[in-house]
Amino acid sequence: MTWLEPERALEAGIDFDRANAARIYDYLLGGACNFAVDREQAAKILTQNPDMAYVCRANRDFLRRAVEWCLAAGITQFLDLGSGVPTVGNVHEIALAHRPDARVAYVDFEPVAVAHAHEVVDGLAGVSVTRADMRDPDRVLGAPGVRDLLDPALPTALLTVAVLHFVPDPELPAILARYRDALAPGSVHVISHGSADHDDPDLAARTRAIQDGYRGSATEVVLRSREEIRDCLGGLELVAPPGHLVDIVDWPTTSPGVRPTGGYAAIARIP
């Protein structure tokens, strides 16, 4: 693909020397938008926890279920922070299949993710791609791809799926609150987040092993406790199932016999 030509890649600011979470995730999902350094880091992660590819697929399945839940609730606008490299089952593919009038604003900072996303959505009405740091809500919300696409008067789903554990900023709850404050009543905040806060010590150990596997990459992992993840949701009401953070595989209903991932998922309703 043209965006991987060395000269253009360097101009785009792509870091060839350190692995990046978006490209590692793409590789673990079977994508082709990754470099040798990402595959080497992925191999290290899989050595630490062979379940990692399974965790990525489970998280992708959660994203699909969450988008479909939002659509069923009448929410047709999506602001996807840390959207990553588009692979099969993107938010816009899911949303547009159900609602041709849906609008999806992708936001990511990683150059490969942004470049490939532009190629994937080129020519699609109702879909935009913005390169910006999600830690700067004013810049994100004011970017043309967000400001001119999403109607501030309509409910929006704020998607933070498998991204916040790559954001070490201690001000993260306040940052997320600024996004939610900008959304219309009836909007929701969708989250999935890795954690080692589990009653099962083996599951906690497997999740910490994933964290160890990312050490040395450009995007190291921060594992937050259940309480800290709830703080990221600002104490809002959790829906489906009501009031509870659950493992990704158990949202919105419990899946007996399905191997847990070590990540928590929830949708919080913005009053």
Side-chain angles (χ1 to χ4, degrees):
M1 293 183 180
T2 55
W3 52 266
L4 284 179
E5 292 174 0
E7 295 81 3
R8 293 186 62 185
L10 288 172
E11 289 174 4
I14 295 173
D15 186 351
F16 290 97
D17 296 323
R18 290 198 299 169
N20 177 275
R23 302 192 308 259
I24 294 170
Y25 190 64
D26 172 69
Y27 172 71
L28 290 171
L29 287 173
C33 299
N34 48 79
F35 305 134
V37 65
D38 305 306
R39 295 187 287 273
E40 291 168 5
Q41 193 79 36
K44 178 180 177 182
I45 296 167
L46 289 169
T47 298
Q48 298 280 356
N49 186 341
D51 276 352
M52 188 55 190
Y54 164 76
V55 171
C56 291
R57 292 192 298 272
N59 194 79
R60 198 70 177 181
D61 288 342
F62 161 69
L63 175 64
R64 173 184 52 77
R65 296 193 302 273
V67 170
E68 290 174 345
W69 186 95
C70 291
L71 293 168
I75 299 171
T76 59
Q77 297 192 139
F78 299 86
L79 175 57
D80 190 355
L81 301 181
S83 50
V85 177
T87 56
V88 174
N90 304 310
V91 174
H92 74 273
E93 290 179 328
I94 302 165
L96 293 176
H98 294 274
R99 287 288 300 263
D101 61 336
R103 299 178 182 182
V104 179
Y106 290 119
V107 178
D108 207 295
F109 190 69
E110 206 284 318
V112 168
V114 172
H116 187 54
H118 275 295
E119 288 197 350
V120 168
V121 307
D122 184 42
L124 286 178
V127 186
S128 69
V129 181
T130 297
R131 187 183 180 200
D133 189 332
M134 64 161 286
R135 293 173 296 179
D136 188 347
D138 292 336
R139 181 183 175 194
V140 170
L141 294 169
V146 177
R147 180 193 64 219
D148 298 341
L149 180 68
L150 304 181
D151 186 340
L154 296 178
T156 297
L158 175 67
L159 304 180
T160 56
V161 176
V163 63
L164 299 181
H165 42 240
F166 297 112
V167 183
D169 198 319
E171 298 301 316
L172 181 59
I175 292 169
L176 295 171
R178 287 166 63 190
Y179 281 106
R180 292 192 298 266
D181 288 344
L183 302 181
S187 297
V188 295
H189 183 176
V190 180
I191 190 172
S192 68
H193 196 302
S195 177
D197 185 3
H198 300 289
D199 297 331
D200 180 351
D202 291 335
L203 181 58
R206 292 200 303 271
T207 310
R208 284 192 293 269
I210 293 174
Q211 180 184 41
D212 292 340
Y214 275 93
R215 296 195 193 283
S217 73
T219 43
E220 296 194 357
V221 169
V222 178
L223 297 177
R224 293 182 171 90
S225 67
R226 279 176 276 195
E227 181 179 356
E228 289 172 320
I229 295 171
R230 285 298 304 261
D231 287 345
C232 288
L233 295 170
L236 296 175
E237 173 198 5
L238 303 188
V239 299
H244 297 286
L245 289 172
V246 296
D247 193 275
I248 290 168
V249 300
D250 290 325
W251 192 97
T253 57
T254 303
S255 300
V258 177
R259 189 161 77 254
T261 65
Y264 286 113
I267 290 185
R269 193 187 307 277
I270 299 173

